[in-house]
Amino acid sequence: MIDRIGLADFLRRRREALQPEDVGLPRGPRRRTSGLRREELAVLCHMSTDYYTRLEQERGPHPSEQMVAAIAQGLHLSLDERDHLFRLAGHQPPARGTEGEHVSPGLLRILDRLTDTPAEIVTELGETLRQTPLGVALTGDATLRTGPARSLGYRWFTDPATRALYAPEEHAFLSRLYASGLRELVTLRGPRSRAARLAELVLSESEELRRLWDAHEVGLRPREVKRFVHPVVGPLELSCQSLVDPDQSHRLLVYTAVPGSETAERLQLLAVLGAQAAPERRAVPG
């Protein structure tokens, strides 16, 4: 059963405790609200202000699990707080661990501050959970993908268009890297895991992966410098640093250019162009 009074009070108090700078929003010179406004939080939760407002006013529909998860993420809740919110809303909390998609508040706070840098938060299966605006301009909005295609490894072996964003001389190594990483995950997580189901699916569709899988190569690690071929600004050589959340096995990937380099100049141009330069907006039909 939903606890409407408890839910409304919890939402209101957590919203009022969040400051604009906590979630990457400007405060503004005339701000009177101590915490976030309802309309600001609604945007972070990807829902209408009216829908969210009704929850705080102890009315409206029974929120679905997907809605509760979106609110928990928008409020930057910890896992314990997320679970509490689910119970207040009358749902069982999602399972914790490596298959969870709730991004920790710490990773979100860092991501929110990377306003001028391509960055993303990904699962161990290469599913993008969050991106900075410049990250979207670099690789496209990967958060919109659904099903197995959410995984970069799946797309790498099943969708030839995926490879167009990466320098051709990197393709062979990246194929080995994704095969190695997936095989390690299957062994680590077990035959009933999401990793095992994904491997089975890709193996059924990709002859290349079957060949690499038979080689049993493990232990490969990503190279520090990633070479992209952006359809608008051209070649980019970006260093990639990662920060790991051990509880959820999420990684924050941050892409940077050497100051003063040609790539740095192209990255500045990409920042000006924004999402309109994202690769999927430039895709050639057919």
Side-chain angles (χ1 to χ4, degrees):
M1 293 289 292
I2 182 174
D3 180 354
R4 290 197 177 275
I5 296 176
L7 176 64
D9 189 51
F10 182 76
L11 291 177
R12 183 170 54 254
R13 291 182 182 277
R14 287 299 178 271
R15 174 178 59 81
E16 292 174 349
L18 274 180
Q19 302 303 314
E21 52 270 26
D22 294 334
V23 295
L25 296 175
R27 172 169 290 275
R30 298 183 179 180
R31 190 179 189 90
R32 296 180 181 177
T33 306
S34 58
L36 289 184
R37 300 186 180 98
R38 285 172 175 165
E39 56 267 28
E40 291 172 330
L41 185 60
V43 170
L44 293 174
C45 298
H46 306 287
M47 61 185 59
S48 71
T49 302
D50 178 67
Y51 183 95
Y52 178 80
T53 298
R54 284 185 289 164
L55 291 178
E56 280 201 8
Q57 293 176 344
E58 304 173 23
R59 57 191 183 92
H62 185 180
S64 66
E65 294 181 12
Q66 291 78 13
M67 282 293 192
V68 178
I71 294 172
Q73 201 68 86
L75 284 170
H76 286 41
L77 299 184
S78 68
L79 282 174
D80 288 334
E81 291 171 331
R82 180 206 66 174
D83 291 354
H84 181 65
L85 176 63
F86 266 82
R87 296 186 180 101
L88 288 174
H91 296 295
Q92 277 295 111
R96 297 191 181 197
T98 59
E99 295 192 0
E101 295 191 3
H102 182 78
V103 181
S104 72
L107 284 188
L108 281 178
R109 282 193 292 270
I110 297 173
L111 186 77
D112 289 337
R113 285 160 174 75
L114 299 175
T115 56
D116 61 348
T117 304
E120 59 182 341
I121 296 174
V122 301
T123 69
E124 63 182 15
L125 290 179
E127 301 156 323
T128 300
L129 302 176
R130 290 288 188 277
Q131 291 171 284
T132 60
L134 195 48
V136 172
L138 175 64
T139 62
D141 192 345
T143 65
L144 299 178
R145 299 183 183 277
T146 59
R150 295 180 62 208
S151 167
L152 176 57
Y154 176 86
R155 299 196 305 275
W156 183 264
F157 288 109
T158 62
D159 181 8
T162 300
R163 305 191 181 199
L165 188 59
Y166 300 85
E169 60 270 22
E170 298 290 322
H171 289 185
F173 172 77
L174 290 174
S175 293
R176 292 169 53 216
L177 177 69
Y178 295 139
S180 168
L182 186 55
R183 180 174 274 285
E184 289 182 52
L185 273 178
V186 171
T187 303
L188 178 64
R189 303 302 179 203
R192 296 174 183 247
S193 64
R194 290 182 64 232
R197 294 194 296 273
L198 181 67
E200 183 178 1
L201 180 61
V202 185
L203 284 167
S204 70
E205 299 184 27
S206 171
E207 181 180 351
E208 180 186 17
L209 181 60
R210 290 194 294 272
R211 175 174 50 80
L212 292 169
W213 198 260
D214 290 342
H216 282 265
E217 185 175 27
V218 295
L220 289 184
R221 293 297 177 260
R223 292 167 176 164
E224 182 179 345
V225 175
K226 296 184 179 295
R227 293 174 172 84
F228 296 91
V229 182
H230 194 275
V232 177
V233 300
L236 298 166
E237 293 190 358
L238 299 171
S239 296
C240 180
Q241 281 75 39
S242 65
L243 181 64
V244 180
D245 172 10
D247 293 329
Q248 298 286 88
S249 291
H250 294 163
R251 289 180 180 270
L252 170 61
L253 305 178
V254 183
Y255 303 95
T256 59
V258 175
S261 66
E262 190 172 2
T263 290
E265 295 177 0
R266 291 175 176 173
L267 207 56
Q268 290 178 347
L269 175 59
L270 190 60
V272 173
L273 295 174
Q276 65 180 345
E280 72 268 16
R281 291 176 178 262
R282 299 283 171 164
V284 178

